Amino acid sequence: MEKKVKIYTTSGCHYCQQAKEFLTEKGVEFESCDVGADKAAFQEMKKISGGARSVPVISIGDWVIVGFEREEIEKALK
Amino acid sequence: MNLLIYTMYGCPFCLHAKAFLQERDIPFQEIVVTPGSEEWGRMREKTGSGSLPQIFIGEENVGGYAHLVHLEATGALYEKLGQTWRKSDTPLYDAIILGAGPAGLSAAIYTIRKLMKTLIISKDVGGQVTWTNDVDNYLGFSQVNAAELVAKFESHVKTFGVERVIGKNVGAIDLAGRIKRVTLEDGKTYYGKTVVIATGGSHRPLNVPGEKELLAKGVSYCSTCDAPLFDDADVAVVGGGNSALEAVLDLVNIARRIYLISLTPLTGDSFYQEKVRHSGKVEIFTECRPTRILGDNMVQGIEYQSLKTGEIHTIDVEGVFVEIGLLPNSSIFIDTLATNRKGEILVDKECRTGMAGVFACGDVTDVPYKQVVVAVGEGAKAALSAYEYLLNQK
Ligand SMILES: Cc1cc2nc3c(=O)[nH]c(=O)nc-3n(C[C@H](O)[C@H](O)[C@H](O)COP(=O)(O)OP(=O)(O)OC[C@H]3O[C@@H](n4cnc5c(N)ncnc54)[C@H](O)[C@@H]3O)c2cc1C
C-alpha cells in the first residue's frame, strides 16, 4: 500500500518548496498544509514531531522527518 | 597488458594509485622500492625520474597517479590495457562548477557560451538567495522576490542546456593533477579539466550550549521559514547586521516581543535600523554576548553576558533566531588551497586560486562585499579565466 505523505510548510520557506518539488519529481502524492495560517495543523505538526518548531516537517507513513533531508525521505518512502 | 607500479612506504600518491586500481578491479604487480636500492636504480633508468609512484603498462611508462586519472578520464587507460570493452563511463568535462548559487549559475552561462562542456554539481539551486524573501540592490530591480529571481537564473541557464547534478554533496576532491577529480558523498566520481568553486556560505552557528540540542525546537537559522510559528511569542534574534535586522522585520508582525542581541553596535543598513527602532516591539541589547540557550525539550530562554559590566542576564523566550553571518563552505578545499583566517579561499583578480585550473568565485572567496551582484560578476570572471586557461593549455 502507498504510504500517506503530508508536508507541513510556511509560505516563505524555500526548503519546503524544494521538498515538494522533490516529492513531485519522485511521483509521490502528498497533502500540503501551511502551518503559518492553519493553527490546527500547527498543533498537529508539533504533536507528531515531538514539538518541532521549524518547517518543513514531513510525515511519511509512521515516519516523521524534520527538515528537508533527501536521503531520509527516500528511506521512509521505501 | 600487464600493469606494474613502483611504490614506496609512506608515499600518499602510491596509496591513491593502488586504491584507484583496486576500485576498478585492474590487476597490478607492485615493486616496493627504497631510494638508493637496486630496484630503485632500475626504475630511474627506465623512467629518468626518481619520483613515486611510477606506473608501467607493458613496457610503456605512463607516469604517476595524476597521469593514471588523466588516462582514465580520456578513455586511453582501458585501451592501453587492452580492455576496450571497458570504456570509461565518465566523460571528461571542460569545467565542473561546484555550487548553483548566483556565482555558480553565472559561471555556467559563460562556460556554456564558450562551448565548454560543463557540469554543475550542487546541493541545491539558488543558495543563500533562497533564505530570504526579497532581494535588494540587484541591478534592474528595486526589489525582487527571491524565489522569482532564482527561477529566472535557473531558466536562463537552462536555455543553453547544461548537465546538472542537484541534491548531492561534494565529499572529496583531487585538484592537483591536470585532470581534476570530484567525488560525491555517494561515491560517484566526475572528471574535469577545470574546476570552478562557487560553494558560497552556510549559517555561522553561535557555538553555545543548547544551540544544537534545541535546533528546530525553537532555535532557527531561517526567519522567513520559521517566523510564522512564533505567533504572539517572545523571541530573541542574535546578530547586528542586515540579516539579523531582516529577521527582526520578518518577526515584527507575528511575535509579541523581540529582543535583539548583538555583540557589537548594530552594523546593518540605517534603513533597516530605522524600521526596527520604529516598530515599538523590539528591545535592543548591544555589546552583549549570548552564552547559553536554555530549555529542556523546547527553547525557554537565552542567557547573555554584558561586555560592559560582565553581568549575566537571562530572558524568557520561546525562539532564538541566529543571524551572525556566514561560514564559507571551504572545508573540503582547506588542505589544498590557500585560505584566510575566516576560511575564505584566496583568489586573485582573475579568480585564480594558485592551483592550476582551479578557480573560485562568490561568497566562498575572500572577495569583499557579499552581495548577489558581486557573486554574479565574480562567477563570470571565474568562467572566463577557466576558458583562458584551457586555451593556453592547448
Ligand atoms: C538572509 C540573507 C539575505 C540576503 N539579502 C541580499 C540582498 O537583498 N541583496 C544581495 O545582493 N545579497 C543578499 N544576500 C547575499 C547573497 O545572497 C549572497 O552574497 C550570494 O547568494 C552569494 O552567492 P554564491 O553563489 O557565492 O553562494 P551561495 O548563494 O551560498 O551558493 C552556494 C551554493 O553551493 C552549494 N554547495 C555548498 N557546498 C556544497 C558542497 N559541498 N557540495 C555541493 N554543493 C555545495 C550550495 O547548496 C549553494 O547552492 C543575502 C544573504 C542572506 C543570507
Side-chain angles (χ1 to χ4, degrees):
Chain A
M1 206 190 82
E2 288 276 295
K3 289 183 184 169
K4 195 163 161 277
V5 180
K6 185 164 179 181
I7 175 164
Y8 301 82
T9 68
T10 60
S11 57
C13 162
H14 199 82
Y15 295 111
C16 304
Q17 197 53 41
Q18 288 182 3
K20 288 199 254 180
E21 282 166 21
F22 181 72
L23 290 170
T24 306
E25 269 168 35
K26 295 216 155 288
V28 176
E29 273 186 40
F30 58 89
E31 182 191 342
S32 166
C33 54
D34 179 350
V35 291
D38 182 343
K39 292 265 151 64
F42 181 36
Q43 291 310 325
E44 179 182 284
M45 175 187 111
K46 282 211 276 195
K47 199 168 135 214
I48 63 166
S49 63
R53 214 163 183 178
S54 174
V55 284
V57 168
I58 306 167
S59 73
I60 301 176
D62 299 335
W63 293 55
V64 177
I65 300 160
V66 181
F68 175 33
E69 306 286 344
R70 286 181 179 78
E71 271 149 37
E72 302 261 316
I73 296 174
E74 278 172 351
K75 260 192 250 161
L77 284 170
K78 271 189 194 144
Chain B
M1 204 67 88
N2 290 333
L3 193 146
L4 169 68
I5 177 168
Y6 284 96
T7 63
M8 181 179 73
Y9 287 118
C11 141
F13 286 106
C14 300
L15 294 177
H16 282 320
K18 288 201 301 182
F20 178 97
L21 294 168
Q22 277 153 0
E23 273 165 25
R24 285 160 187 75
D25 260 331
I26 299 173
F28 59 89
Q29 185 198 344
E30 180 180 5
I31 298 179
V32 184
V33 299
T34 45
S37 70
E38 200 176 303
E39 287 286 13
W40 187 72
R42 200 164 308 141
M43 178 193 93
R44 284 207 63 154
E45 223 166 79
K46 286 204 284 185
T47 63
S49 160
S51 75
L52 286 153
Q54 286 293 337
I55 299 159
F56 283 83
I57 298 179
E59 291 304 309
E60 183 190 357
N61 175 217
V62 295
Y65 169 60
H67 301 95
L68 201 57
V69 172
H70 181 90
L71 281 178
E72 189 194 40
T74 58
L77 178 64
Y78 298 111
E79 224 162 87
K80 285 186 192 299
L81 286 167
Q83 304 184 351
T84 41
W85 69 93
R86 269 183 79 171
K87 276 267 178 289
S88 125
D89 58 351
T90 41
L92 176 61
Y93 293 95
D94 291 321
I96 298 183
I97 298 172
L98 306 180
L105 292 174
S106 169
I109 299 285
Y110 281 84
T111 58
I112 303 162
R113 287 295 292 247
K114 290 289 185 192
L115 301 180
M116 294 166 75
K117 187 174 168 56
T118 303
L119 174 70
I120 305 179
I121 302 175
S122 187
K123 237 179 318 198
D124 63 18
V125 177
Q128 291 164 61
V129 180
T130 65
W131 305 353
T132 180
N133 279 320
D134 298 300
V135 173
D136 298 308
N137 313 326
Y138 190 67
L139 188 64
F141 306 89
S142 58
Q143 194 181 53
V144 55
N145 178 273
E148 256 170 52
L149 187 64
V150 170
K152 282 210 160 84
F153 286 170
E154 212 180 343
S155 71
H156 188 180
V157 175
K158 274 188 180 160
T159 50
F160 297 115
V162 61
E163 284 180 63
R164 316 192 317 170
V165 177
I166 304 295
K168 301 285 179 186
N169 247 326
V170 175
I173 190 145
D174 195 339
L175 298 171
R178 224 153 66 82
I179 302 285
K180 325 289 177 197
R181 217 153 66 114
V182 178
T183 308
L184 305 187
E185 271 175 6
D186 65 15
K188 193 148 174 32
T189 298
Y190 298 90
Y191 300 93
K193 295 180 194 165
T194 66
V195 168
V196 176
I197 300 169
T199 47
S202 311
H203 297 282
R204 181 184 292 280
L206 268 174
N207 286 329
V208 298
E211 182 183 26
K212 268 205 198 108
E213 296 80 352
L214 294 165
L215 179 66
K217 308 215 156 187
V219 174
S220 173
Y221 302 94
C222 181
S223 56
T224 62
C225 305
D226 297 335
L229 311 180
F230 293 84
D231 189 16
D232 209 26
D234 291 350
V235 298
V237 173
V238 181
N242 278 341
S243 301
L245 297 175
E246 280 183 52
V248 170
L249 295 174
D250 284 336
L251 285 155
V252 87
N253 293 321
I254 300 166
R256 194 173 63 164
R257 234 189 134 66
I258 304 165
Y259 302 94
L260 179 61
I261 305 174
S262 172
L263 200 57
T264 60
L266 300 186
T267 56
D269 294 349
S270 42
F271 169 75
Y272 287 131
Q273 291 197 28
E274 281 302 292
K275 271 186 153 178
V276 165
R277 286 186 211 279
H278 277 104
S279 70
K281 264 196 181 179
V282 186
E283 214 169 311
I284 302 174
F285 303 101
T286 57
E287 292 167 79
C288 288
R289 187 182 47 179
T291 43
R292 202 175 352 180
I293 298 173
L294 309 165
D296 288 330
N297 194 33
M298 297 301 301
V299 169
Q300 287 167 328
I302 183 165
E303 181 190 271
Y304 67 91
Q305 182 177 33
S306 158
L307 298 182
K308 282 174 273 185
T309 64
E311 279 170 42
I312 295 203
H313 303 271
T314 58
I315 337 175
D316 291 341
V317 290
E318 291 177 43
V320 176
F321 288 83
V322 180
E323 295 287 355
I324 54 168
L326 271 200
L327 214 52
N329 292 324
S330 61
S331 56
I332 54 173
F333 313 108
I334 230 140
D335 291 338
T336 35
L337 299 178
T339 50
N340 64 12
R341 263 198 337 187
K342 295 187 208 157
E344 296 166 337
I345 298 173
L346 303 179
V347 289
D348 67 9
K349 63 182 194 290
E350 283 157 56
C351 300
R352 291 180 296 207
T353 59
M355 177 82 75
V358 182
F359 305 85
C361 50
D363 282 13
V364 74
T365 69
D366 66 331
V367 170
Y369 313 123
K370 310 297 194 220
Q371 289 281 291
V372 176
V373 71
V374 175
V376 162
E378 292 291 307
K381 282 168 57 192
L384 293 173
S385 293
Y387 175 67
E388 199 73 20
Y389 163 84
L390 280 187
L391 280 187
N392 293 331
Q393 288 280 299
K394 280 177 186 150

